[in-house]
Amino acid sequence: FAMKPNNLLSLIRQKPNALPARKRETLIARLEKEITGDLLAQELGGKQPANIYSGNQTFNLEKTINLVKSFTYSGGVVKSKLLKLLFYADFLHFRKYGKSITGLRYAHLPYGPVPDQHDFLLGSIQKIDGEIQTNDQLIGPYSAEIYTSQTPPNANAFSDEEMVVIREVAEKFRHFNAREITEFSHAEKGYQETGTRELIPYGYAQDLKIKGGA
């Protein structure tokens, strides 16, 4: 019974004096992260097998977190731009190697192609890795949600080929603001030929407007 994280967490909370306070707090924090990660993996990948909607990959939490960090460590990134960067990294890698980096599924939403259930995804990632933070900033007359990682990504999480693709995407869109990358993504064939909230098959990666290196 206690080997399951949810059950162990319940026991610890029911018996607050069973462990020293510091050890109890550390264990609770670790269990909460593990439970959040399991829930995220089950919700985004566990219910469906790897297929053309996931880029022939099962959902990889570690790579997803580190991909977010790859784009947000060197400076804050507006949420809507970050979501497009994830899309381009996964789809470009699929175009070149026949599989995505993260196993994320992407949906057609009014502001462009973005990870399916993106709010749940980003919220869960922040619970798991507290170094990924958000703050609201005024950009012109609008308030924007900015994502920043306080620590660099773990480069060991990626293959050499994945690292090359990530750098290519970061460089391609380095000077794009959120509006510009949104407009750019709206011209993608995979976006134009799907309806609102429909998943975008990775087969459309062959028509991606950015090609990357050989």
Side-chain angles (χ1 to χ4, degrees), residues 171-191:
E171 183 58 32
K172 168 66 181 179
F173 296 107
R174 183 176 304 279
H175 301 297
F176 280 60
N177 60 31
R179 177 183 57 80
E180 290 167 339
I181 195 172
T182 294
E183 292 175 352
F184 188 91
S185 70
H186 279 187
E188 295 291 353
K189 187 175 181 180
Y191 185 78

Side-chain angles (χ1 to χ4, degrees), residues 62-187:
E62 181 186 10
K63 287 190 176 183
T64 301
I65 290 174
N66 281 286
L67 188 57
V68 169
K69 287 189 164 192
S70 295
F71 293 129
T72 59
Y73 175 60
S74 58
V77 177
V78 175
K79 175 183 176 181
S80 58
K81 179 177 179 178
L82 172 61
L83 297 175
K84 310 302 186 306
L85 293 173
L86 298 177
F87 165 79
Y88 277 108
D90 269 331
F91 269 64
L92 180 58
H93 194 272
F94 183 91
R95 191 190 75 82
K96 297 173 73 172
Y97 303 107
K99 58 184 180 180
S100 65
I101 296 174
T102 67
L104 285 170
R105 292 169 169 82
Y106 290 85
H108 173 130
L109 290 183
Y111 290 102
V114 298
D116 190 34
Q117 302 185 63
H118 58 86
D119 284 333
F120 172 62
L121 171 70
L122 293 178
S124 298
I125 284 175
Q126 285 188 276
K127 289 181 181 179
I128 295 167
D129 192 323
E131 299 299 327
I132 299 173
Q133 300 176 2
T134 59
N135 63 85
D136 293 330
Q137 292 183 13
L138 282 177
I139 299 179
Y142 304 104
S143 176
E145 193 172 1
I146 309 296
Y147 280 75
T148 306
S149 175
Q150 303 301 309
T151 54
N154 176 11
N156 292 328
F158 302 112
S159 67
D160 292 342
E161 292 82 5
E162 289 168 340
M163 287 298 302
V164 169
V165 167
I166 293 167
R167 292 189 187 109
E168 287 174 346
V169 170
E171 183 58 32
K172 168 66 181 179
F173 296 107
R174 183 176 304 279
H175 301 297
F176 280 60
N177 60 31
R179 177 183 57 80
E180 290 167 339
I181 195 172
T182 294
E183 292 175 352
F184 188 91
S185 70
H186 279 187

